[in-house]
């Protein structure tokens, strides 16, 4: 083609995004291949991927499109969704995201590209934000300690049930759920109770508790129907039975209502969605849980605590990780891995911005409008069945019900379809008096006078349940009410952190790839944001096309027959996948199969999920090359042949290797009647190269927040869809608004499509990469990992490789020999990397004392080189310790990270220079990330557990 | 009549140490019952429970003490009676928490306060997955008085540290 023709049209425009997404240029790739002794990307893949599973057919996807075309396609879908004013309620409400938070948190890569704060020194900003979240929740609920955060209100309620079981002294296996809990909450609880063997009784808390033995009770406050009940008596009845009481509470209502902690509740849970987080057709939003201090070891999810750093200054860290699955595996308190940190940050900032008075005013206004609405409806002759309410009314509409819904929709409004005779209406902070007038006109009273109605409408909160205690008294909630103050606070926090917008985050098994701006932009469009999860299907055509198209794309990528997008985290996907396996065995009269084989190298979520699904974990050994020990597998599969339910494997393995024997592993398990679960955490090495659904997997979960570009958000949101072969399709998770039929699987999330609001990200990614771009991404990820392994190999042992000496998309470097020779630990190296401007690779997983490095395809050769140079310089520093040139204790590794505070001390305290401490490589002088705190003292944090904002006096000390 | 003894040995690790010990026992017709061996920081350390015919007891002790010449320090706690059945039951203890100076002593003293004795104790410190913080893990077999309030024991242990996770599993069978 001549130059003049080529410039008018493709191909360069159409493949442009692929080149933006993938870091190394063509010339870099050739150079890197050359260094590895390879001539082409094809040869690279042939060397790395076993021939027995490698496929050469192109992905069944379209060619790549441009960013503009992808945005245009998504704009069309967004327009196909009809944004109605939502009065549906049920835990999802209209809210105004303060623009300063929208732009500087939700739309800011400093927040959304950050990783989970396992490295606390470089995460102080978001740790403070989520400590604010915990303080906000614990203040509003009146309970001692709160986590940050859970996936949605339904799963939070299920976690509350599990907490009740752990802490209750009752021998009963019955959990009582009030019938005025949100219906989707009840269904999620049923799903979770089933494999644990709990009996769920749903009924009227006023009548049906007597005579029941039970370990826990779940109440809704205010009820899903709007009614506010005084639960004090129920609480004492339950406590007499040694049962614990969990209350699902609406956080905004607690600005006006007596908090659950003050009427004796043991646990409070709920959603923080209406604190400025868009509905997004069901998610993502952060749920919360708070409980008594004495139950802290049983509290699921992450908990931020306050500790001190190496200089004794206050610093934050993740506390009590000893509860979690990455430490405790199947004994873990819960299986919350990716939570909803970005959304928790938004909700906490909403509270910081509005402050206690602002929240109270919002709550009062919502309540006031609801009382006015109720008064008008009463005068129009409708029976308002709710006596005491905050923002929700239940109206007896009898025969006119259908007609009223119709009238509302004509006016662009959705009301809650309770049943054929009753309608629910929930107001929120976006409701105006004009909306109330419009609602009256639906009910035939367009001419009602709001002022007159207001005059005769009284407060409807029961006197005994009005809130008298103060909340959000901490300075942080009382200092940022101007936008300037808020803007600077957000900037100050973001500047403390190291996210992908500053440097490579080479975390093995976490796939921290580019989250492209074009992928992120549609997420905040009203056509995707402002849709209630239970809006009528005819209003959500855009979403339904997006979802079915994305499901089709993911089927093409994985080789499975069907996909469910409902699980809103990887752990949820694992749980859903195992439930599908349970369902399948049951359908064949083999429901007794309950043994789950798990290789010793598995991620901790695998055994924790198996435990939740009611399976018994049997560990399969790995051989010295890190592969599944086939002899051990065969022996265990044989031994448990009659009871074998499944094996859970990760592919490529968590050791970063394409195991040659994967087909054989699958065959052995199938031969003994088991199903094969392939954990998709490492799918980034497979896309376009081989297909889990074709080399032996029956079901896999994928992490859209790893392989398909959804950002990590500092610890969520995530999406963990599952793909299944045809025979498991009938056992995909069910609809949260319907009780699952016998033999079918119930919902695992509160919303039908989980975190639907962020699906446009993965949709855009796949469209813009196209079939060839996705394959090129996989190849480049594998190339980058092998390049790093090659460069580091002469400095550090690379622990596991395939038969050709190659790694997959990540590599493990072994630091244990260096600990022997120098006393320098993996933690020292990780913290020293901060001085060089890097987030550490994954520490001590899957092997303690090692670092696992995953560069992804998005990092350029220049960045890989910068990282390798840092690692090599660190090796030289270790050598200096080995030879005695550097002191064994007082050396730059042990003391890392170095802070400005330390550098500007009157007397420099160390026996190496300031320059060596902070500018170990010259390039850092041109631009450097400074750790805001020194190394954090974990033991101090353990001994002094503080999980809410420290008292003002401590702040004063800090400032002094 | 046999006599029971506990032999504690420590020495610079090298091949053949266990064999040397075993040979000495066999030479005195002593029966190797149970043992724990470990290499800690390049030192070989071991404990052996054995029984020996009463007549051979003194000569065995003498022979063991002579191993000093081979670089093996030996301590013998001898003349023990055969362990008696009593009002104890066995329990498994698993702990994971932040590692810190004195943690083993704090745990053992909490156990002692409740009249619990430690049959076996295996501890290690390790780098925690993901965060890299140094964790302390212990697995112990305990002998617990039959009438002990297990919840009180659990609480005493949990009081030692906020992040200490304690699992105690009671086993039905008696020590055997």
């Amino acid at each position: 083609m001549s130059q003049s023709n080529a410039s008018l049209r493709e191909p360069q425009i159409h493949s442009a995004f692929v080149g933006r997404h993938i870091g190394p240029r063509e010339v870099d790739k050739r150079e890197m291949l050359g260094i590895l002794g390879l001539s082409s990307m094809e040869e690279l893949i042939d060397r790395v991927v076993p021939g027995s599973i490698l496929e050469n057919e192109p992905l069944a996807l379209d060619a790549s499109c441009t960013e503009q075309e992808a945005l245009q396609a998504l704009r069309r879908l967004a327009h196909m969704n009809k944004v109605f004013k939502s009065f549906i309620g049920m835990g999802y409400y209209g809210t105004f995201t303060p623009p300063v938070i929208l732009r500087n948190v939700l739309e800011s890569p400093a927040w959304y590209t950050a990783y989970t704060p396992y490295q606390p020194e470089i995460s102080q900003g978001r740790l403070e934000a989520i400590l604010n979240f915990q303080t906000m929740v614990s203040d509003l609920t009146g309970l001692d300690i709160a986590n940050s955060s859970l996936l949605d209100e339904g799963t939070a309620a299920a976690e509350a049930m599990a907490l009740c079981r752990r802490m209750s002294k009752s021998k009963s296996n019955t959990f009582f759920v009030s019938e005025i809990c949100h219906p989707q909450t009840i269904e999620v609880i049923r799903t979770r109770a089933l494999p644990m063997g709990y009996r769920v009784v749903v009924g009227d808390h006023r009548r049906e508790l007597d005579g029941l033995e039970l370990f826990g009770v779940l109440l809704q406050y205010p009820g899903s129907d709007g009614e506010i009940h005084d639960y004090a008596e129920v609480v004492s009845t339950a406590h007499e039975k040694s049962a614990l009481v969990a209350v699902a509470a609406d956080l905004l209502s607690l600005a006006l209502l007596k908090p659950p902690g003050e009427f004796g509740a043991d646990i409070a849970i709920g959603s923080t969605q209406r604190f400025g987080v868009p509905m997004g057709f069901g998610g993502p939003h952060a749920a919360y849980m708070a409980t008594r201090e004495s139950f802290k070891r049983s509290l699921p999810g992450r908990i931020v605590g306050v500790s001190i750093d190496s200089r004794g200054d206050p610093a934050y860290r993740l506390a009590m990780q000893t509860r979690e699955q990455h430490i405790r595996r199947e004994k873990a308190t819960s299986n919350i891995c990716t939570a909803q940190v970005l959304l928790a940050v938004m909700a906490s900032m909403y509270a910081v911005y509005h402050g206690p008075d602002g929240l109270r005013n919002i709550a009062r206004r919502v309540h006031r409008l609801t009382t006015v609405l109720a008064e008008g409806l009463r005068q129009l002759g409708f029976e308002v069945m709710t006596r005491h309410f905050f923002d929700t009314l239940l109206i007896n509409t009898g025969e006119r019900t259908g007609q009223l819904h119709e009238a509302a929709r004509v006016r662009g409004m959705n009301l809650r379809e309770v049943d054929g005779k009753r309608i629910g209406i929930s107001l929120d902070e976006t409701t105006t008096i004009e909306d109330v007038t419009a609602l009256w006109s639906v009910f035939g009273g367009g001419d009602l006078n709001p002022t007159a109605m207001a005059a005769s409408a009284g407060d409807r909160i029961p006197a005994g349940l009005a809130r008298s205690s103060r909340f959000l008294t901490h300075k942080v909630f009382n200092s940022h009410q101007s936008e300037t103050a808020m803007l600077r606070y957000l900037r100050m926090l973001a500047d403390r952190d190291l996210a992908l917008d500053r440097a490579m985050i080479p975390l093995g098994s976490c796939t921290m790839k580019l989250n492209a701006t074009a992928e992120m932009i549609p997420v905040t469009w009203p056509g995707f944001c402002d849709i209630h999860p239970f809006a009528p299907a005819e209003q959500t055509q855009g979403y339904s096309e997006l979802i079915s198209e994305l499901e089709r794309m993911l089927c093409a990528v994985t080789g499975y027959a069907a996909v469910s997008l409902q699980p809103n985290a990887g752990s949820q996907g694992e749980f859903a996948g195992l439930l599908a396996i349970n369902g399948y065995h049951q359908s064949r009269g083999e429901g007794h199969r309950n043994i789950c084989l798990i290789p010793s190298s598995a991620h901790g979520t695998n055994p924790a999920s198996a435990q939740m699904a009611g399976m018994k974990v049997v560990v399969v050994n790995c051989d010295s090359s890190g592969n599944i020990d086939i002899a051990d597998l065969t022996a265990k599969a044989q031994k448990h042949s009659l009871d074998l339910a499944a094996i859970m494997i990760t592919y490529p393995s968590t050791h970063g290797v394409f195991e040659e024997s994967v087909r054989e592993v699958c065959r052995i398990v199938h031969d003994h009647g088991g199903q094969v679960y392939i954990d998709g955490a490492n799918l980034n090495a497979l896309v376009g190269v081989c297909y889990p659904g074709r080399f032996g997997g029956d079901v896999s979960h994928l992490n859209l927040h790893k392989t398909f570009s959804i950002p990590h958000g500092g610890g969520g949101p995530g999406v963990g869809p599952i793909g299944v072969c045809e025979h498991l399709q009938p056992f995909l998770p069910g609809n949260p608004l319907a009780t699952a039929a016998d033999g079918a699987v119930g919902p695992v999330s509160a919303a039908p499509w989980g975190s639907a609001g962020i699906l446009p990200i993965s949709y855009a990614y796949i469209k813009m990469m196209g079939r060839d771009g996705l394959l090129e991404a996989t190849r480049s990820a594998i190339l980058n990992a092998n390049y790093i392994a090659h460069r580091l190999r002469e400095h550090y042992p690379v622990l596991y490789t395939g038969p050709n000496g190659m790694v997959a998309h990540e590599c493990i470097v072994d630091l244990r020999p260096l600990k022997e020779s120098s006393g320098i630990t993996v933690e020292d190296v990780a913290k020293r990397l901060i001085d060089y401007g890097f987030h550490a690779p994954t520490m001590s997983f899957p092997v303690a004392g090692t670092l696992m490095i995953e560069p992804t395809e998005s990092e350029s050769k220049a960045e890989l080189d910068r990282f390798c140079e840092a690692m090599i310089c660190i090796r030289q520093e270790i050598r200096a310790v080995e030879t005695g040139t550097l002191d064994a204790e007082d050396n730059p590794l042990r003391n890392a990270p170095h802070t400005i505070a330390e550098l500007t001390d009157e007397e420099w305290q160390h026996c190496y220079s300031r320059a060596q401490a902070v500018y170990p490589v010259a390039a850092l002088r041109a631009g450097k990330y400074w750790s805001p705190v020194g190394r954090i003292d974990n033991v101090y944090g353990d001994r002094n557990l503080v999980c809410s904002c420290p008292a003002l006096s401590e702040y004063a000390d800090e400032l002094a | 009549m046999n006599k029971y003894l506990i032999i504690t040995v420590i020495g610079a690790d090298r091949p053949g140490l266990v064999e040397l010990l075993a040979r000495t026992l066999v030479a005195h017709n002593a029966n190797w019952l149970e043992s724990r061996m470990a290499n800690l920081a390049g030192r070989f350390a071991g404990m052996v429970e054995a029984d020996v015919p009463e007549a051979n007891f003194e000569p065995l002790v003498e022979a063991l003490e002579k191993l000093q010449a081979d670089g093996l320090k030996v301590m013998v706690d001898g003349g023990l009676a055969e362990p008696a059945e009593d009002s104890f039951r066995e329990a498994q203890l698993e702990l994971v928490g932040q590692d810190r100076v004195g943690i083993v002593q704090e745990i053992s003293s909490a156990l002692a306060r409740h009249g619990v004795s430690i049959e076996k104790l295996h501890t290690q410190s390790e780098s925690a997955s993901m965060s890299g913080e140094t964790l302390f893990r212990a697995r112990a077999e305990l002998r617990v008085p039959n009438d002990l309030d297990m919840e009180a024991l659990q609480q005493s242990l949990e009081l030692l540290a906020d992040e200490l996770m304690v699992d105690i599993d009671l086993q039905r069978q008696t020590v055997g």
Side-chain angles (χ1 to χ4, degrees):
Chain A
M1 197 185 292
S2 77
Q3 186 59 43
S4 56
N5 277 344
S7 61
L8 287 179
R9 226 162 139 63
E10 49 174 6
Q12 66 270 42
I13 300 293
H14 276 262
S15 56
F17 178 75
V18 177
R20 303 288 187 200
H21 176 82
I22 294 176
R25 306 293 89 195
E26 289 308 317
V27 55
D28 298 326
K29 291 182 195 168
R30 280 195 296 276
E31 187 189 340
M32 291 155 76
L33 286 166
I35 290 170
L36 295 171
L38 300 168
S39 56
S40 69
M41 294 293 245
E42 287 76 12
E43 192 188 350
L44 168 75
I45 297 304
D46 284 343
R47 290 282 295 277
V48 172
V49 183
S52 58
I53 60 169
L54 182 60
E55 301 203 25
N56 290 316
E57 291 255 315
L59 278 164
L61 292 171
D62 292 341
S64 62
C65 72
T66 64
E67 290 165 289
Q68 290 69 29
E69 285 166 341
L71 286 168
Q72 193 49 43
L74 281 161
R75 206 168 281 125
R76 184 183 72 84
L77 294 175
H79 283 304
M80 285 167 67
N81 292 327
K82 298 204 182 81
V83 181
F84 275 38
K85 197 103 201 174
S86 175
F87 299 95
I88 299 171
M90 300 174 78
Y92 303 91
Y93 305 90
T95 178
F96 292 124
T97 309
V100 64
I101 295 174
L102 179 77
R103 172 154 291 182
N104 297 288
V105 178
L106 183 55
E107 296 177 341
S108 164
W111 290 94
Y112 69 67
T113 69
Y115 183 61
T116 307
Y118 288 121
Q119 296 292 318
E121 293 84 0
I122 53 153
S123 314
Q124 292 293 302
R126 56 192 186 278
L127 284 167
E128 176 162 326
I130 51 190
L131 188 75
N132 292 345
F133 179 88
Q134 290 172 190
T135 308
M136 166 188 93
V137 168
S138 125
D139 271 17
L140 282 166
T141 58
L143 283 157
D144 306 328
I145 183 170
N147 72 4
S148 61
S149 46
L150 296 172
L151 297 169
D152 57 31
E153 182 161 326
T155 55
E159 295 289 347
M161 169 174 70
L163 200 166
C164 288
R165 181 56 288 173
R166 281 193 296 275
M167 298 313 297
S168 160
K169 307 251 185 302
S170 168
K171 298 270 182 268
S172 162
N173 74 336
T174 300
F175 187 69
F176 181 89
V177 182
S178 156
E179 64 193 7
I180 56 165
C181 287
H182 293 314
Q184 71 274 17
T185 301
I186 298 175
E187 295 313 318
V188 172
I189 284 186
R190 285 191 213 273
T191 308
R192 291 276 286 268
L194 196 63
M196 301 309 293
Y198 305 151
R199 186 168 76 109
V200 175
V201 175
V202 179
D204 186 333
H205 68 274
R206 291 164 298 190
R207 289 192 297 275
E208 293 173 47
L209 277 180
D210 296 339
L212 271 183
E213 282 308 307
L214 32 95
F215 69 82
V217 174
L218 179 71
L219 305 165
Q220 186 106 37
Y221 182 66
S224 191
D225 59 0
E227 191 68 41
I228 301 170
H229 294 273
D230 186 342
Y231 287 131
E233 213 169 294
V234 184
V235 169
S236 58
T237 309
H239 283 169
E240 278 162 29
K241 296 168 186 282
S242 298
L244 299 179
V245 177
V247 175
D250 177 283
L251 217 48
L252 186 61
S253 76
L254 297 183
L256 304 183
L257 295 179
K258 185 179 202 170
E262 289 176 21
F263 58 74
D266 302 286
I267 304 161
I269 58 112
S271 169
T272 62
Q273 178 267 320
R274 71 191 308 178
F275 278 32
V277 182
M279 290 187 284
F281 198 38
H285 323 123
Y288 73 83
M289 180 184 281
T291 189
R292 302 176 182 282
E293 212 273 337
S294 54
F295 292 176
K296 63 183 178 234
R297 285 183 178 79
S298 285
L299 185 57
R302 301 212 175 88
I303 304 174
V304 175
V306 184
S307 183
I308 54 170
D309 75 355
S310 49
R311 296 167 58 86
D313 293 325
Y316 312 110
R317 66 189 270 269
L318 285 180
M320 304 201 62
Q321 291 187 56
T322 46
R323 297 163 300 129
E324 298 184 56
Q325 65 283 341
H326 60 275
I327 309 290
R328 291 245 291 173
R329 304 179 81 86
E330 70 270 23
K331 282 189 175 160
T333 299
S334 73
N335 197 14
I336 306 297
C337 206
T338 300
Q340 304 277 24
V341 169
L342 187 67
L343 305 313
V345 169
M346 286 179 73
S348 80
M349 290 305 169
Y350 179 93
V352 166
Y353 195 39
H354 287 302
D357 295 337
L359 283 188
R360 212 175 285 114
N361 287 341
I362 292 168
R364 277 206 192 109
R365 218 177 61 81
V366 171
H367 179 59
R368 181 72 181 138
L369 285 177
T370 316
T371 61
V372 173
L373 172 67
E375 178 60 18
L377 292 174
R378 191 186 63 80
Q379 296 208 8
L380 291 169
F382 284 90
E383 181 199 354
V384 174
M385 303 170 79
T386 334
R387 276 190 45 200
H388 297 293
F389 54 80
F390 166 60
D391 65 354
T392 297
L393 305 175
L394 184 65
I395 303 139
N396 186 351
T397 45
E399 302 303 314
R400 297 176 57 191
T401 304
Q403 186 194 327
L404 288 167
H405 280 300
E406 205 37 56
R409 277 172 209 154
V410 168
R411 288 173 174 80
M413 300 189 284
N414 287 326
L415 311 180
R416 177 174 173 188
E417 299 180 38
V418 178
D419 54 28
K421 295 199 158 30
R422 295 175 302 166
I423 284 177
I425 302 180
S426 293
L427 305 194
D428 57 53
E429 72 163 318
T430 69
T431 312
T432 61
I433 191 63
E434 288 73 27
D435 293 326
V436 172
T437 310
L439 284 167
W440 284 332
S441 59
V442 168
F443 288 80
D447 51 355
L448 282 185
N449 179 339
T451 319
M453 293 305 114
S456 50
D459 197 325
R460 298 293 280 271
I461 289 173
L465 290 176
R467 179 160 194 144
S468 57
S469 53
R470 299 174 69 209
F471 56 91
L472 304 186
T473 52
H474 192 275
K475 186 175 152 194
V476 74
F477 299 106
N478 295 279
S479 316
H480 304 99
Q481 274 67 53
S482 80
E483 180 164 332
T484 301
M486 190 67 199
L487 181 70
R488 290 180 187 156
Y489 182 55
L490 290 170
R491 177 62 191 260
M492 179 192 75
L493 294 182
D495 279 355
R496 288 184 188 165
D497 288 11
L498 200 155
L500 270 182
D501 62 338
R502 283 183 195 264
M504 170 185 188
I505 301 184
L507 282 159
S509 97
C510 296
T511 315
M512 300 295 289
K513 63 168 66 176
L514 171 73
N515 317 116
T517 313
E519 293 152 8
M520 294 301 295
I521 281 176
V523 166
T524 50
W525 288 345
F528 291 126
C529 269
D530 296 338
I531 308 285
H532 192 284
F534 305 129
E538 67 269 16
Q539 294 169 21
T540 59
Q541 294 301 305
Y543 261 120
S544 89
E545 188 178 320
L546 171 80
I547 285 163
S548 58
E549 181 67 2
L550 184 57
E551 286 174 356
R552 193 192 62 73
M553 292 169 174
L554 295 175
C555 285
V557 164
T558 55
Y560 284 113
V563 160
S564 165
L565 289 164
Q566 191 182 96
N568 48 11
S571 58
Q572 293 288 102
E574 289 179 25
F575 178 61
L578 294 174
L579 290 185
I581 291 174
N582 277 344
Y584 172 73
H585 287 314
Q586 268 156 25
S587 73
R588 293 156 49 93
E590 298 195 325
H592 62 278
R593 287 185 176 270
N594 72 338
I595 298 292
C596 186
L597 301 176
I598 297 184
S600 56
S601 59
H603 192 279
T605 49
N606 289 174
S609 299
Q611 197 275 338
M612 275 172 65
M615 294 182 180
K616 235 181 102 205
V617 175
V618 172
V619 176
V620 178
N621 297 331
C622 288
D623 63 21
S624 57
S625 323
N627 299 323
I628 293 173
D629 179 340
I630 296 288
D632 191 49
L633 171 67
T634 310
K636 280 171 178 156
Q638 257 161 14
K639 180 175 172 201
H640 298 288
S641 194
L642 294 176
D643 300 321
L644 186 60
I647 189 169
M648 295 184 88
I649 57 173
T650 303
Y651 203 77
S653 76
T654 55
H655 289 142
V657 174
F658 279 92
E659 291 178 62
E660 295 278 328
S661 58
V662 65
R663 276 189 187 273
E664 196 187 349
V665 168
C666 298
R667 186 189 49 76
I668 293 168
V669 172
H670 284 143
D671 284 351
H672 291 279
Q675 293 280 291
V676 175
Y677 186 101
I678 299 181
D679 183 322
N682 290 343
L683 194 75
N684 209 45
L686 301 183
V687 177
V689 171
C690 53
Y691 300 81
R694 292 196 213 145
F695 62 70
D698 297 295
V699 47
S700 292
H701 81 270
L702 329 176
N703 301 92
L704 298 192
H705 49 289
K706 295 180 180 177
T707 316
F708 299 99
S709 280
I710 289 177
H712 279 68
V719 178
I722 55 171
V724 295
C725 288
E726 209 171 344
H727 64 282
L728 293 183
Q729 198 170 349
F731 309 105
L732 288 173
N735 186 324
L737 288 190
T739 301
D742 236 14
V745 174
V748 297
S749 304
W753 290 280
S755 293
I758 50 176
L759 297 178
I761 302 170
S762 297
Y763 176 90
Y765 171 72
I766 296 174
K767 283 202 90 89
M768 295 190 302
M769 294 298 281
R771 58 174 175 256
D772 299 331
L774 288 173
L775 173 61
E776 191 59 17
T778 304
R779 290 168 167 175
S780 303
I782 292 174
L783 176 65
N784 278 359
N786 277 286
Y787 177 71
I788 288 188
H790 179 85
R791 282 209 61 187
L792 294 185
R793 187 167 275 140
E794 60 181 288
H795 307 280
Y796 301 91
V798 172
L799 204 49
Y800 299 112
T801 55
N804 291 326
M806 307 286 283
V807 298
H809 64 308
E810 57 193 6
C811 64
I812 299 176
V813 296
D814 194 353
L815 300 181
R816 290 170 298 182
L818 299 179
K819 191 186 171 196
E820 291 291 316
S821 63
S822 65
I824 298 298
T825 65
V826 65
E827 192 181 15
D828 296 330
V829 173
K831 304 305 177 193
R832 184 60 175 152
L833 273 168
I834 299 173
D835 285 334
Y836 285 79
F838 284 101
H839 189 296
T842 300
M843 294 164 73
S844 292
F845 173 78
V847 182
T850 64
L851 288 176
M852 180 158 60
I853 303 163
E854 178 181 1
T856 83
E857 69 277 12
S858 297
E859 295 302 337
S860 66
K861 178 170 176 293
E863 185 71 350
L864 303 184
D865 285 334
R866 194 171 76 89
F867 174 75
C868 290
E869 276 150 26
M871 287 296 289
I872 293 166
C873 285
I874 287 174
R875 180 66 187 89
Q876 285 156 3
E877 291 175 346
I878 297 172
R879 189 160 294 121
V881 175
E882 288 169 337
T883 59
T885 317
L886 279 170
D887 186 80
E889 283 306 317
D890 185 25
N891 61 59
L893 296 133
R894 269 292 152 82
N895 297 327
H898 296 84
T899 60
I900 290 179
E902 190 173 18
L903 201 68
T904 51
D905 271 344
E906 207 65 29
E907 290 274 314
W908 177 244
Q909 302 290 343
H910 304 303
C911 55
Y912 49 92
S913 74
R914 285 177 158 106
Q916 189 175 358
V918 302
Y919 294 134
V921 288
L924 286 167
R925 291 183 187 269
K928 180 179 160 77
Y929 167 79
W930 291 93
S931 179
V933 294
R935 193 168 316 177
I936 287 166
D937 186 334
N938 292 314
V939 173
Y940 181 92
D942 174 26
R943 285 199 153 162
N944 305 276
L945 189 69
V946 176
C947 298
S948 55
C949 296
L952 289 175
S953 58
E954 287 170 49
Y955 264 73
D957 289 348
E958 191 185 351
L959 294 171
Chain B
M1 177 86 184
N2 279 359
K3 285 192 96 163
Y4 281 80
L5 66 164
I6 300 288
I7 306 158
T8 314
V9 296
I10 188 162
D13 199 14
R14 63 182 163 83
L17 286 181
V18 177
E19 203 243 328
L20 181 66
L21 199 58
R23 210 166 354 113
T24 314
L25 287 177
V26 169
H28 295 83
N29 208 12
N31 190 17
W32 184 303
L33 293 172
E34 222 180 300
S35 59
R36 300 281 169 277
M37 309 278 170
N39 178 330
L40 297 169
R43 310 291 289 176
F44 167 79
M47 285 172 71
V48 181
E49 181 189 0
D51 66 356
V52 61
E54 200 158 354
N56 294 356
F57 179 73
E58 290 298 335
L60 173 62
V61 173
E62 265 172 50
L64 286 169
E65 279 164 0
K66 280 188 189 142
L67 293 179
Q68 179 96 37
D70 296 291
L72 214 50
K73 264 183 252 173
V74 181
M75 264 176 51
V76 178
D77 187 0
L80 307 175
E82 188 174 359
E85 290 293 320
D86 48 24
S87 56
F88 284 85
R89 53 186 169 162
E90 196 169 284
Q92 300 276 348
L93 172 70
E94 274 189 53
L95 294 170
V96 57
Q98 294 288 336
D99 197 12
R100 65 179 195 221
V101 175
I103 185 77
V104 174
Q105 182 269 325
E106 288 173 45
I107 291 165
S108 44
S109 100
L111 291 173
R113 270 203 309 282
H114 288 275
V116 175
S117 62
I118 302 173
E119 294 278 285
K120 288 181 194 166
L121 175 65
H122 176 81
T123 70
Q124 69 187 84
S125 73
E126 67 179 39
S127 164
S129 178
M130 309 313 283
S131 68
E133 56 201 29
T134 310
L135 292 183
F136 166 84
R137 272 186 203 272
R139 198 181 291 254
E141 282 178 24
L142 307 179
R143 263 160 48 93
V144 180
N146 274 333
D147 57 355
L148 178 68
D149 177 353
M150 297 307 285
E151 209 173 298
L153 174 62
Q154 174 113 14
Q155 279 172 5
S156 301
L157 289 167
E158 288 181 349
L159 274 178
L160 297 178
D162 282 318
E163 300 185 1
L164 192 65
M165 300 296 290
V166 179
D167 289 301
I168 306 175
D169 288 329
L170 280 175
Q171 293 180 330
R172 302 214 175 273
Q173 77 269 29
T174 50
V175 181

